[in-house]
Amino acid sequence: MRYLDLIIKYDVTGPRYTSYPPLPYWENPPSQYEWPMHVDQGGVVDLYVHIPFCKNICHYCGCNRIKLCDENDLDKYINYLLKEWKLYRQKCLPLRINSLHLGGGSPSLLSVSQLDKLFGKLLKDLDKSKLKGSIEIDPRNASKLQLQKIFDYGISRLSFGIQDFDPTVQEKIGRLQTFEEVSQIFQQARMIGFEDINFDLIYGLPGQTVSRIEETFKQVVSLRPDTIAFYSFAFVPHFASNQNNILSSDLLQGIEKWKLLETGRNLLFKAGYREVGMDHYALESSLLFKALEGGNLHRNFMGYINHQVDTVIGLGFSAISTTRKSFIQNSKNFLEYYDLIDKGMIPFVKGHVKSDDDLKTESIIHEIMCKQKIKLNSIDVAKVQAFINDNLVKLEGDQVIILEAGKSFLRNICMQFDKRLSTIANNVTFSRTI
Ligand SMILES: C[S@@+](CC[C@H](N)C(=O)[O-])C[C@H]1O[C@@H](n2cnc3c(N)ncnc32)[C@H](O)[C@@H]1O
Ligand code: SF4
């Protein structure tokens, strides 16, 4: 089959598999009593802190975020994050923090003194030189002083939200930021000493064309960020009502959308970037690429990471936490989130304790997403036969190897092993795989 026909064949809706089972399938949460015991079995923890506030909501955004209407809300929220952390320290055995990630929304809305308050309490008694830390930065509201403070606390990785540099596209997505603004804050970050900087970009946004995305990528590679996440636009207006500001007639689909991906990818390859798992590209000097080469690439709700993580504690509104045995998600309702903490409870409202079958599928999905191969003895080979026929994977020794051409279809390959998929009508909750 021609490659373009494969794009049409495999362009379906499906999960992104940042967890297994994916969130819409979670069914049996751990109790308030069980959850701290699951955390205790992990030894060390990775901490995720969700800052859900943004100055304005971008039309395309599918994240859990809310417009910041009153600056006081941020101070109140930080107090509750620290209360939530205190609850964990009371309910669990002593917690050893391995890494800290701040995501959102826009963590760069935090002032220098708010950063001081949060980091001062969370990272107390911690050896900064051993901390692995990262933070998502909206270049439109980041300052040199803020970045210096973040660096001084031992956070060494920044991720900038870029999306696209073209003014026509920016107008259509409700997010204006010039290349010059981004370039300035990027250079300042380099001067401070950040050696691991990521750019987020999206293909499939309204107004994008092959020639416009080409210009964006020329500008992106001129700055040489260490890694680039190049996401497919997840158009899910039933879940994110802000996306109703986007006309579906303005969106490219199927082969036309895929051409945007190919244009960006080819320019990245030409500039020396290598593909790392799904949606991610990295310079060979980057930690992420070295992790791939060393067989130490892992993935969780925050994306790809260069170390094994069994336990992630997510603090804040809508934050997700993971242990080997289970997942939980905190409330997405501020009043409920605050109320549960005031009652001395870990503020989760959803969760799932993994079955033995879930654990097996989770391990296969990890191999596909992080190693691009599967051990033959862990699967029924009939499940990959269609991909073998389409020259997207091959059998080699005791393994199924995903070929270069198959790397655009990792989600489709994972879906073959997902027994739960047929239980949600039409998979309406998920975005398209291309
Ligand atoms: C929390 S935001 C990044 C930090 C910051 N708020 C900003 O926008 O600069 C995380 C990333 O998710 C990606 N994203 C958001 N909505 C998306 C969507 N509907 N489809 C694909 N990617 C999306 C964007 O690339 C965005 O940079
Ligand atoms: S993309 Fe970033 S800044 Fe825009 S609404 Fe989403 S979280 Fe906020």
Side-chain angles (χ1 to χ4, degrees), residues 16 48 50 53-54 58 60-63 65 103-108 136-140 159-163 175 177 199-203 205 229 231-236 240 243:
R16 293 181 49 77
Y48 171 74
H50 191 70
F53 301 104
C54 295
C58 312
Y60 61 86
C61 182
C63 304
R65 38 70 207 138
S106 299
S108 44
E136 288 172 11
I137 298 286
D138 180 340
R140 297 168 301 169
S159 180
F160 284 141
I162 306 292
Q163 327 313 343
R175 180 183 177 120
Q177 61 185 30
F199 278 8
D200 282 345
L201 290 129
I202 305 181
Y203 66 92
L205 291 172
Y231 298 116
S232 165
F233 174 41
F235 186 54
V236 281
Q243 292 188 351

Side-chain angles (χ1 to χ4, degrees), residues 18 23 35 57 65 67 88 103 133-134 140 195 261 297 304 336 363:
T18 46
L23 204 147
W35 173 248
I57 305 303
R65 38 70 207 138
K67 187 175 160 75
Y88 270 101
S134 59
R140 297 168 301 169
E195 288 180 351
L261 166 66
L297 189 68
Y304 282 97
E336 187 177 39
S363 155

